[in-house]
Amino acid sequence: MDFTKLRAAALKDGDDEEAVTVNTRALIDKVLARYSGEWTTLRELLQNAADAQASTVIIKFETLPSAQVPLSNTTDKAEVLKHVLLHHTLRRLLVTNDGQPFGVNDWSRLKRIAEGNPDETKIGAFGVGFYSVFADCEEPFVSSGNEAMAFYWKGNSLFTRRLQLPAAEGNPNTSFVLDYRNTTTPMPNLLSICQFLATSLTFVALQNIELWVDDWQILSLKKKAAPSLEVPIARDVETKTKEGLMKVNSMERESVQMDATFMNVVGWKPSIQAAPKPGSYDNAYGTNSADVPSLRSFFSRLTASTSHAQLKTKAMRDEKALQDIVLENLTSTTTANVFLRVTTAVVKTHINANFAAELERATKKPPPKTTKLAILTASYDEIAASAKENPVAKGVDIFASVLPGKKPGGRVFIGFPTHQTTGAGMHLSAPSVIPTVERESIDLNARWVRTWNHEMLRVAGIMARLAFANEMADLSTKIKRATEQNGHGTKVTKDEIAQFMPEALHTLKTFTFGESTPSSQVSQIIEEAFWTAYKKPSIEIYSTRGVLPTTKVRLATEDLSGFVEGIPVVPDDLVDVSFVSKLKEFGLITEITIGDVKQELEAKALTRDQLIQFIGWAGRKAITGDIDGPTINSLMDVAVALTGEVEGSGDIITLGSIKNYLSVSKIPAEVPIPPTTIPFQFTRLSSVNELQALGWEPLEIVPWLRFLIETNANRPVLQSLNSVPFAAQVLLILSRSWDGLSQSSKATVVNLLQPIAVVPTKSGMKKPGEAFFASVKLFDDLPTVTSCPGVKEKFLAAIGVRKTVDLETIFSRLLSPTGEAKQGERPTNSRHMELIKYLASVRDDIPPEDLKRLKATPICPAEAGPKGMEGTQGSARMYKISELFEPKDALRNLGLPILQWAGPPGSYRPGSVEGRFLTFLGIRAFPSVPELIDMMSSEDPALREKSMIYFISNHHINGYASFEVGSSAKSFLPLQGDDKRLVSPAECFTNHECAVLGFSVLKRELHSHANKFGVAMDPPMTECVNRLIAKPPQTKRDAITLFGYFASRLGELGQNSVAKIADTRIVPVMARNQSANGYSNEKAADHKELRHLTPRQCYLGSSSTYADIFDFVDFGNEANAFLLKCGSKNEPTKLELAALACKEPARLLGIMQSPEKYLNLLRTLADDLSMLKKDKVLFKQMKQSQFLLGSVEIPGNKENAKSRRLTGLQSADAEYESDPEDMEDAPIKQWQLALPGQIVVNDDYNGYRLFKSSLICAPEEDKLETFYLALGAQTLGSLVQEDLRLGQPSEKQASAVKLRSHVLERSKLFLHEYSRDNIKHDSRWLEKNLSVQAVSSISLRRSLRGHNLSHTEKRSAAYTNDRHNGYTLFITAGSLDTYQISLALCKILLDRPNQSAYLTFEQFLNLNLYQLRARGYNVERILRAKAAEQRIAEEERRRQLEAEQQQIKEQEELWKQQNQLVPAAAARKQRGESSDKPMPGAFDDDSPENSPKARAKSPPRSRSKGLFSGLKERLGINSSSDEVQDQLQNFLDGPKPQNNHQVDNPPTYDEASTGTVSKTGKGTEQVSSPHAVQQNLLNAIQSSRAHDSSELFSPPSTKAIKEQATYCDATPSQNITFLADATNGTRIFVDKTIASPTAFLAQNVSALNSFAVLLGDVCDIYSLSRKAMHIFYDESGATIAFNQNGSIFCNFRFFAQLHQKKIEAGAPEGKTEAASYWWVVVAHELAHNLVKPHNSEHSFYTENLVANYFPKMMVKGAAYKSQVPNRRAIAGAQEQSLLD
């Protein structure tokens, strides 16, 4: 609905206008006088006084005495006052101010609701505040100057009367007199109203407020301000607001003092309150809304804890004490004061005209160009000054809401306090902020007002930031002044920081923003402007160095003051406050960084204590990973410390040069240390992990000792290594750490101490190698160690202190000879035994050098005594210990040198001390293997035998297995069968079978010990292979033995050996004798020659197939296994066969002696085609080899003669007409070898038949054909070039269309029999890409590529393939050869079509569905496909109807635009006129329906031929028969009248029946909308339906109507029943009276199908569902068609008599005439879906149906004319069943 037009029409044509009325009393009572806040009336009156520039306001409550409680006789003022407060009620409220008197405009606005003060500098804006007085007052009175105004009511209307007074009687002040509506209002709570007035005075432009109750002055408030000071605005302050509407121009600050003098009664709370009157709902004195108990207080009493109860008890005691003081004198006065700081800003506004206009619309005043905002804070000093000493002033807190630091915090004042808080510890006075109507909140909803208020709040944020900066600047000044006074100069100490900490906390708390209420947006907007006011991201903050910007202040995550006290940080007391938390959140302050620490370290040197703390801090940071290694190094590089006790004195330590720390567990702290080591006193508080995290390593013994040695000369005597005490201390330190040193460190210590005289001895300081242990007492003059308590002997021995005497002395004293010895002998003595015993006792103390010398010196003799007493004498020669053997009999038998050891047998024990020492020196317990091998290879047989027996028996005991005896080249092993020759272990073997290759075999008795001598069982396989290759076997017997030996060692044959043997001629084979042609020569079979072949060339066993081609051998299972391993095979592989076939195809064919055997070979190759393709070299050779077998057909003599006589198809026909006797001269098929490219695969039988004499053809087997094609053979179809020559397209394509449908249908059944692999295109593809066209002629010329051969023949069917048009099947008119059609289509459908496929598809094309079903094919599948096609057609029809529906809607819209609505007046006029108009779409005066009954005098005119006559001419029907025309004209015109002399059209059927004729109306009427007619026609078509019942019964009718008029009006005795379905699914019914329906069906099958197809075409014209169309037949009657509830039935009898013969004649005019006839009949029946009777309306819709669908009928008629029916097809159709 277009509401804009509707509103315009209402304003233009609506009824009389009426003003909106207001019920004034309801408006005031329900809205204006119902404010949510307390003391609203006083607030509005105070605001009026401020707007009138008053300085003093006096508020007076006048009371009425109580009628129930009289005043007692007392003169005590306190008692009287208590009585007044408790029992009096309010009579009047009088508010007087000394401001400017009311002007004319003021009086005028006072009586006008919502007409606010237009002055933008005033707060009042809405003009409704004054009406709050009506909350308690019924008729207020106002007096101001010389005028007064009284308000009074008349009904629900408020009126005023204004009085002009003489100047002498005028009121100098302005007074508001408010008489209370009822007399039951009690006195208000004095404390509440006093606190309200004190808060109101804060920002309002008043100086004094007084509160009176009758004649008692309860309260006097005074406000005074000190001179203001300008607040400087920094340059980097952004004074403009975010939207740019406002700018802070200047700021000033002033201190304000407020004094309150009040009666003590203000704080009085009566213990027993006066009970209210019965039925009264007023609270008693002393109560207000805040006193109502809450659920929280209720539950708190139930769940109060002990601490809560204690606090409550204390509060009750304080309250009782206060009441006691107040009750002493209620009328005495108390004075309290408060000090405030007010910062005021002058703000300039910059708004455009549009914005100003919107604001003025909302507030009824223009926005101010300049305004002021003020923020009120209480500084720390002012709060302290405001502290109340008086207990009454303290308990009765008049200024409770004035100080912003108390709950609920700062508020927003718009003249007076609102409910809106600022969220911070400051009040905001913003008179230009626009409030809501009740003035309790800020308007943040209205669009333009919201933007204005947001900008005002942003100004407040900028002001707060500037005020904060000013406060912090004052604090900074105070700190500097205190620092100077304390004598600290400019350095701020902790004392000053602690002194001013409370003030700093107060300032930060004041400017910390929390959530504001009720709107949280207020604090968010102010806070955003507060933080963004400065362009630089910095703000002042209180730090340990005073007030500094946050860019210079850091957050101390830990206490670093111990070594970097110069970094200003936030004090601990401030870290957790909200203000600092916001600084962290906004990123304005950061923690102390490494850069800060580094800068501080660069500034000055560290003291001792600072150094300790710095090392501890750095170590902890490093170990936790907070500081990485490079950063630690950078800090160490700049850190410098002084080690003196006094600051600035002592040695300098540069931490960047420190590499080590001192581990006192290793090195004491008091010894000298290198300068790169930090002294222990500075690291004593740090852990080892912390020191190592700094990159320092512990000072190790070696560098410390090296430092001591290198700096020994520069140190004092007491710390010199030449000093016995210091040297002993150093040796003690080294001794304690010795066990913990590594071997390299120990060696370094020994090397460092060796040249230094560092060991104290009784002979003085000696080098370690010159000193002896105190236990060495062999000589008294030895320098033994002294003065080294605690030093371990192990350490002294390690550094070289000796425990033994040198060997020279020992040798000279202990081994000197005694007595005379015989020549060649030595006297028996035990001096060498004594030496051994001594040295064994001091073995551990002998230096390594002496041990080496002892081993290399000959000190012992060998046995030289007689047998059995060998040890009694020694040899004259002295031997080294390592040259002698232990005294054992087994060794004596071998003639080895034995150590002389005097004593009885067994006196030498290897396990004794002396035996173990001798073993250490190298005495031998048994001979070595090489020595034994020398013995076993000697010339002495006895020694050889003894040594071999010793070797075998002691092999395990002496561990001879670790020696590889087999690697010895000496000959010492005897052979089997040859006692004279000795060989080495590598030259003999234990397996006697290897002797066949000429190898030596070990003596049989030693076989069990062969592993001890390293003798292998068999010779190396490589050597065996070499000997086999060098001397292959010459006979089969030798081959069996030799190959059998290798077979026993198959597991040892490696790949290299196998490959080597496989290509060597080692297999003896008897040569085959063959003739030159490749066949065996039987005569030469006896003369066989021996030849050797490689194993790869041999095949094992025997083969009847390949024995003549390949060499087969058989040496037994074992030998054959060896040959199989070396490459022989049981039979040739496919690759070998293929290679042989490629290499010697003729020889192979000659050996096989049969083409069939050769073909079998090719078949086996074809089976493994994929494997052959993988061998690319072989496959390429196969493509180029002449090894394929092909056939050439050689014709007989008679056939050659025929071929000369006949050409083309004639020769082919004659070939089959020949006599059976001619088979004697049948063609001969000759096989020959050819290249793959010379052979063709016969895939075109016709081409083969024509060119077979010139072709070499592949065998007609699928497997071989695939094989030949893969090798490069060509298909015959690719060689035969076809040139298709087509005649002109036929004018009539009916046969082509029918054939295409037939082909698509039968292709589904045909392809169903094939697998997907054989199908090239399926039926769906064929349906989309195949077209059929009839042409006059088709000729096909075939030529063979590469040959001058060609044939031309006439065809009845052929196909072409065009990239743009797809596949087209061409057929000739007349008789069709279905085989040729099958030939063409199979090439499209199948990948490899054959003759069987051509014949099968031909059968599918020729047989009907019944015949195919009889042969077992799935015909029902086609029927289902037909059903699916019908569903698709139905869906297409539905879409067409929807398109027509949409077109009708578009026509309707166009019709509405062209024909606008008639104005209402005109419409009423038309309704008053005559409505005798024809119906929409009715016929004209000359229409039959509108003809009068008698028009005798009308001029004569010829009768029209009618609608159908014109249609015939337009459709081109020239039939001379008028039967059809007359019958159809009867249907269109209705019943003919009896008086035939009348020339005009007869009356309609209804007129004839009723005897009435409608008369023509006068005048014209606007035609009906065409879309309405079309919609009715469409509804008529859609209403048609299928006749679902099996029987239809039409009751008989007795209407007396002539036959011409009974077309469908009455159907006498139509009792019909279902018979069958036509080809296209049309249902056929017959009359039940017919004797033989089956005979009728058999006689009229073709005609019924033709009629069904014709009716289907008619349905397509109307887009009518074919299911709605039915056929019926009766033997008599006049019913052509009828409509039974939407189902249309057409009589076959009329079609058979009128149209069947013409259609069978083949003339297109006959089918066009029949279609036109039934097209009009169906239009008539469709009209019955809209109108049942035959009247003018029915005729109207009939003719419109004909007119609307006439173009489609024209197209259908043209299609009929273009079709040339195939007479043969028509004749054949009579023989087909209804299923076809």
PDB file of all heavy atoms in Angstrom, residues 1627-1648:
ATOM      1  N   ARG A1627      -6.340 -43.416 -23.954  1.00  0.00           N
ATOM      2  CA  ARG A1627      -7.244 -44.502 -23.549  1.00  0.00           C
ATOM      3  C   ARG A1627      -8.453 -44.558 -24.495  1.00  0.00           C
ATOM      4  O   ARG A1627      -9.028 -43.536 -24.878  1.00  0.00           O
ATOM      5  CB  ARG A1627      -7.711 -44.269 -22.114  1.00  0.00           C
ATOM      6  CG  ARG A1627      -6.539 -44.133 -21.134  1.00  0.00           C
ATOM      7  CD  ARG A1627      -7.004 -43.864 -19.727  1.00  0.00           C
ATOM      8  NE  ARG A1627      -7.612 -45.053 -19.145  1.00  0.00           N
ATOM      9  CZ  ARG A1627      -8.132 -45.090 -17.910  1.00  0.00           C
ATOM     10  NH1 ARG A1627      -8.138 -43.995 -17.171  1.00  0.00           N
ATOM     11  NH2 ARG A1627      -8.651 -46.204 -17.442  1.00  0.00           N
ATOM     12  N   ILE A1628      -8.861 -45.782 -24.839  1.00  0.00           N
ATOM     13  CA  ILE A1628      -9.914 -46.011 -25.826  1.00  0.00           C
ATOM     14  C   ILE A1628     -11.082 -46.700 -25.118  1.00  0.00           C
ATOM     15  O   ILE A1628     -10.906 -47.702 -24.414  1.00  0.00           O
ATOM     16  CB  ILE A1628      -9.405 -46.888 -26.986  1.00  0.00           C
ATOM     17  CG1 ILE A1628      -8.193 -46.227 -27.638  1.00  0.00           C
ATOM     18  CG2 ILE A1628     -10.512 -47.134 -28.002  1.00  0.00           C
ATOM     19  CD1 ILE A1628      -7.525 -47.107 -28.683  1.00  0.00           C
ATOM     20  N   PHE A1629     -12.289 -46.130 -25.306  1.00  0.00           N
ATOM     21  CA  PHE A1629     -13.519 -46.700 -24.749  1.00  0.00           C
ATOM     22  C   PHE A1629     -14.437 -47.087 -25.910  1.00  0.00           C
ATOM     23  O   PHE A1629     -14.401 -46.466 -26.990  1.00  0.00           O
ATOM     24  CB  PHE A1629     -14.231 -45.666 -23.848  1.00  0.00           C
ATOM     25  CG  PHE A1629     -13.448 -45.302 -22.614  1.00  0.00           C
ATOM     26  CD1 PHE A1629     -12.413 -44.382 -22.669  1.00  0.00           C
ATOM     27  CD2 PHE A1629     -13.766 -45.871 -21.389  1.00  0.00           C
ATOM     28  CE1 PHE A1629     -11.707 -44.041 -21.538  1.00  0.00           C
ATOM     29  CE2 PHE A1629     -13.057 -45.532 -20.256  1.00  0.00           C
ATOM     30  CZ  PHE A1629     -12.031 -44.620 -20.313  1.00  0.00           C
ATOM     31  N   VAL A1630     -15.323 -48.067 -25.658  1.00  0.00           N
ATOM     32  CA  VAL A1630     -16.315 -48.485 -26.677  1.00  0.00           C
ATOM     33  C   VAL A1630     -17.669 -48.627 -26.000  1.00  0.00           C
ATOM     34  O   VAL A1630     -17.768 -48.799 -24.773  1.00  0.00           O
ATOM     35  CB  VAL A1630     -15.899 -49.800 -27.348  1.00  0.00           C
ATOM     36  CG1 VAL A1630     -14.626 -49.633 -28.139  1.00  0.00           C
ATOM     37  CG2 VAL A1630     -15.748 -50.908 -26.320  1.00  0.00           C
ATOM     38  N   ASP A1631     -18.665 -48.602 -26.833  1.00  0.00           N
ATOM     39  CA  ASP A1631     -20.029 -48.766 -26.351  1.00  0.00           C
ATOM     40  C   ASP A1631     -20.209 -50.216 -25.897  1.00  0.00           C
ATOM     41  O   ASP A1631     -19.713 -51.161 -26.514  1.00  0.00           O
ATOM     42  CB  ASP A1631     -21.012 -48.436 -27.482  1.00  0.00           C
ATOM     43  CG  ASP A1631     -22.426 -48.255 -26.942  1.00  0.00           C
ATOM     44  OD1 ASP A1631     -22.660 -48.677 -25.784  1.00  0.00           O
ATOM     45  OD2 ASP A1631     -23.266 -47.690 -27.654  1.00  0.00           O
ATOM     46  N   LYS A1632     -20.932 -50.386 -24.787  1.00  0.00           N
ATOM     47  CA  LYS A1632     -21.143 -51.726 -24.257  1.00  0.00           C
ATOM     48  C   LYS A1632     -22.006 -52.590 -25.179  1.00  0.00           C
ATOM     49  O   LYS A1632     -22.009 -53.822 -25.071  1.00  0.00           O
ATOM     50  CB  LYS A1632     -21.817 -51.654 -22.892  1.00  0.00           C
ATOM     51  CG  LYS A1632     -20.936 -51.063 -21.809  1.00  0.00           C
ATOM     52  CD  LYS A1632     -21.649 -51.045 -20.474  1.00  0.00           C
ATOM     53  CE  LYS A1632     -20.763 -50.474 -19.370  1.00  0.00           C
ATOM     54  NZ  LYS A1632     -21.462 -50.448 -18.063  1.00  0.00           N
ATOM     55  N   THR A1633     -22.753 -51.958 -26.089  1.00  0.00           N
ATOM     56  CA  THR A1633     -23.663 -52.722 -26.972  1.00  0.00           C
ATOM     57  C   THR A1633     -22.928 -53.366 -28.137  1.00  0.00           C
ATOM     58  O   THR A1633     -23.538 -54.125 -28.889  1.00  0.00           O
ATOM     59  CB  THR A1633     -24.761 -51.789 -27.490  1.00  0.00           C
ATOM     60  OG1 THR A1633     -24.132 -50.713 -28.222  1.00  0.00           O
ATOM     61  CG2 THR A1633     -25.553 -51.211 -26.335  1.00  0.00           C
ATOM     62  N   ILE A1634     -21.660 -53.043 -28.325  1.00  0.00           N
ATOM     63  CA  ILE A1634     -20.919 -53.636 -29.446  1.00  0.00           C
ATOM     64  C   ILE A1634     -20.747 -55.124 -29.183  1.00  0.00           C
ATOM     65  O   ILE A1634     -20.332 -55.531 -28.087  1.00  0.00           O
ATOM     66  CB  ILE A1634     -19.560 -52.940 -29.612  1.00  0.00           C
ATOM     67  CG1 ILE A1634     -19.777 -51.473 -30.029  1.00  0.00           C
ATOM     68  CG2 ILE A1634     -18.694 -53.652 -30.644  1.00  0.00           C
ATOM     69  CD1 ILE A1634     -18.502 -50.686 -30.181  1.00  0.00           C
ATOM     70  N   ALA A1635     -20.974 -55.913 -30.194  1.00  0.00           N
ATOM     71  CA  ALA A1635     -20.963 -57.367 -30.011  1.00  0.00           C
ATOM     72  C   ALA A1635     -19.558 -57.891 -29.755  1.00  0.00           C
ATOM     73  O   ALA A1635     -19.326 -58.673 -28.837  1.00  0.00           O
ATOM     74  CB  ALA A1635     -21.581 -58.042 -31.255  1.00  0.00           C
ATOM     75  N   SER A1636     -18.572 -57.468 -30.568  1.00  0.00           N
ATOM     76  CA  SER A1636     -17.196 -58.006 -30.446  1.00  0.00           C
ATOM     77  C   SER A1636     -16.206 -56.856 -30.420  1.00  0.00           C
ATOM     78  O   SER A1636     -15.724 -56.421 -31.469  1.00  0.00           O
ATOM     79  CB  SER A1636     -16.901 -58.949 -31.619  1.00  0.00           C
ATOM     80  OG  SER A1636     -15.567 -59.429 -31.513  1.00  0.00           O
ATOM     81  N   PRO A1637     -15.892 -56.335 -29.257  1.00  0.00           N
ATOM     82  CA  PRO A1637     -14.899 -55.242 -29.196  1.00  0.00           C
ATOM     83  C   PRO A1637     -13.528 -55.665 -29.689  1.00  0.00           C
ATOM     84  O   PRO A1637     -12.810 -54.873 -30.288  1.00  0.00           O
ATOM     85  CB  PRO A1637     -14.870 -54.906 -27.702  1.00  0.00           C
ATOM     86  CG  PRO A1637     -16.156 -55.415 -27.157  1.00  0.00           C
ATOM     87  CD  PRO A1637     -16.478 -56.641 -27.954  1.00  0.00           C
ATOM     88  N   THR A1638     -13.158 -56.936 -29.481  1.00  0.00           N
ATOM     89  CA  THR A1638     -11.836 -57.397 -29.920  1.00  0.00           C
ATOM     90  C   THR A1638     -11.731 -57.355 -31.435  1.00  0.00           C
ATOM     91  O   THR A1638     -10.705 -56.931 -31.994  1.00  0.00           O
ATOM     92  CB  THR A1638     -11.580 -58.820 -29.416  1.00  0.00           C
ATOM     93  OG1 THR A1638     -11.717 -58.856 -27.997  1.00  0.00           O
ATOM     94  CG2 THR A1638     -10.177 -59.285 -29.788  1.00  0.00           C
ATOM     95  N   ALA A1639     -12.771 -57.784 -32.126  1.00  0.00           N
ATOM     96  CA  ALA A1639     -12.758 -57.732 -33.591  1.00  0.00           C
ATOM     97  C   ALA A1639     -12.685 -56.286 -34.062  1.00  0.00           C
ATOM     98  O   ALA A1639     -11.974 -55.963 -35.026  1.00  0.00           O
ATOM     99  CB  ALA A1639     -14.002 -58.436 -34.137  1.00  0.00           C
ATOM    100  N   PHE A1640     -13.424 -55.415 -33.396  1.00  0.00           N
ATOM    101  CA  PHE A1640     -13.371 -53.986 -33.759  1.00  0.00           C
ATOM    102  C   PHE A1640     -11.935 -53.456 -33.620  1.00  0.00           C
ATOM    103  O   PHE A1640     -11.430 -52.722 -34.471  1.00  0.00           O
ATOM    104  CB  PHE A1640     -14.331 -53.201 -32.855  1.00  0.00           C
ATOM    105  CG  PHE A1640     -14.049 -51.714 -32.828  1.00  0.00           C
ATOM    106  CD1 PHE A1640     -14.414 -50.889 -33.888  1.00  0.00           C
ATOM    107  CD2 PHE A1640     -13.389 -51.154 -31.731  1.00  0.00           C
ATOM    108  CE1 PHE A1640     -14.133 -49.536 -33.826  1.00  0.00           C
ATOM    109  CE2 PHE A1640     -13.118 -49.816 -31.681  1.00  0.00           C
ATOM    110  CZ  PHE A1640     -13.482 -48.986 -32.733  1.00  0.00           C
ATOM    111  N   LEU A1641     -11.272 -53.854 -32.527  1.00  0.00           N
ATOM    112  CA  LEU A1641      -9.894 -53.367 -32.297  1.00  0.00           C
ATOM    113  C   LEU A1641      -8.955 -53.902 -33.363  1.00  0.00           C
ATOM    114  O   LEU A1641      -8.104 -53.159 -33.887  1.00  0.00           O
ATOM    115  CB  LEU A1641      -9.425 -53.797 -30.904  1.00  0.00           C
ATOM    116  CG  LEU A1641      -8.031 -53.330 -30.471  1.00  0.00           C
ATOM    117  CD1 LEU A1641      -7.989 -51.816 -30.425  1.00  0.00           C
ATOM    118  CD2 LEU A1641      -7.671 -53.906 -29.106  1.00  0.00           C
ATOM    119  N   ALA A1642      -9.091 -55.179 -33.729  1.00  0.00           N
ATOM    120  CA  ALA A1642      -8.194 -55.754 -34.727  1.00  0.00           C
ATOM    121  C   ALA A1642      -8.378 -55.113 -36.090  1.00  0.00           C
ATOM    122  O   ALA A1642      -7.421 -54.942 -36.845  1.00  0.00           O
ATOM    123  CB  ALA A1642      -8.429 -57.261 -34.812  1.00  0.00           C
ATOM    124  N   GLN A1643      -9.606 -54.720 -36.416  1.00  0.00           N
ATOM    125  CA  GLN A1643      -9.867 -54.132 -37.727  1.00  0.00           C
ATOM    126  C   GLN A1643      -9.413 -52.683 -37.813  1.00  0.00           C
ATOM    127  O   GLN A1643      -9.130 -52.193 -38.907  1.00  0.00           O
ATOM    128  CB  GLN A1643     -11.375 -54.215 -38.033  1.00  0.00           C
ATOM    129  CG  GLN A1643     -11.874 -55.632 -38.190  1.00  0.00           C
ATOM    130  CD  GLN A1643     -13.394 -55.679 -38.314  1.00  0.00           C
ATOM    131  OE1 GLN A1643     -14.058 -54.630 -38.329  1.00  0.00           O
ATOM    132  NE2 GLN A1643     -13.964 -56.896 -38.385  1.00  0.00           N
ATOM    133  N   ASN A1644      -9.337 -51.995 -36.681  1.00  0.00           N
ATOM    134  CA  ASN A1644      -9.087 -50.538 -36.727  1.00  0.00           C
ATOM    135  C   ASN A1644      -7.826 -50.127 -35.943  1.00  0.00           C
ATOM    136  O   ASN A1644      -7.735 -49.016 -35.420  1.00  0.00           O
ATOM    137  CB  ASN A1644     -10.288 -49.796 -36.144  1.00  0.00           C
ATOM    138  CG  ASN A1644     -11.562 -50.037 -36.919  1.00  0.00           C
ATOM    139  OD1 ASN A1644     -11.802 -49.432 -37.959  1.00  0.00           O
ATOM    140  ND2 ASN A1644     -12.388 -50.949 -36.404  1.00  0.00           N
ATOM    141  N   VAL A1645      -6.841 -51.023 -35.843  1.00  0.00           N
ATOM    142  CA  VAL A1645      -5.631 -50.700 -35.069  1.00  0.00           C
ATOM    143  C   VAL A1645      -4.946 -49.466 -35.625  1.00  0.00           C
ATOM    144  O   VAL A1645      -4.647 -48.502 -34.916  1.00  0.00           O
ATOM    145  CB  VAL A1645      -4.673 -51.908 -35.047  1.00  0.00           C
ATOM    146  CG1 VAL A1645      -3.303 -51.495 -34.526  1.00  0.00           C
ATOM    147  CG2 VAL A1645      -5.240 -53.005 -34.192  1.00  0.00           C
ATOM    148  N   SER A1646      -4.690 -49.476 -36.937  1.00  0.00           N
ATOM    149  CA  SER A1646      -3.964 -48.373 -37.558  1.00  0.00           C
ATOM    150  C   SER A1646      -4.742 -47.074 -37.447  1.00  0.00           C
ATOM    151  O   SER A1646      -4.194 -46.013 -37.135  1.00  0.00           O
ATOM    152  CB  SER A1646      -3.666 -48.710 -39.011  1.00  0.00           C
ATOM    153  OG  SER A1646      -2.997 -47.629 -39.643  1.00  0.00           O
ATOM    154  N   ALA A1647      -6.072 -47.146 -37.714  1.00  0.00           N
ATOM    155  CA  ALA A1647      -6.886 -45.923 -37.674  1.00  0.00           C
ATOM    156  C   ALA A1647      -6.949 -45.361 -36.252  1.00  0.00           C
ATOM    157  O   ALA A1647      -6.884 -44.142 -36.045  1.00  0.00           O
ATOM    158  CB  ALA A1647      -8.288 -46.211 -38.193  1.00  0.00           C
ATOM    159  N   LEU A1648      -7.095 -46.248 -35.263  1.00  0.00           N
ATOM    160  CA  LEU A1648      -7.125 -45.767 -33.875  1.00  0.00           C
ATOM    161  C   LEU A1648      -5.801 -45.095 -33.482  1.00  0.00           C
ATOM    162  O   LEU A1648      -5.792 -44.060 -32.814  1.00  0.00           O
ATOM    163  CB  LEU A1648      -7.426 -46.937 -32.934  1.00  0.00           C
ATOM    164  CG  LEU A1648      -8.861 -47.438 -32.924  1.00  0.00           C
ATOM    165  CD1 LEU A1648      -8.979 -48.742 -32.135  1.00  0.00           C
ATOM    166  CD2 LEU A1648      -9.805 -46.383 -32.319  1.00  0.00           C
TER     167      LEU A1648
END
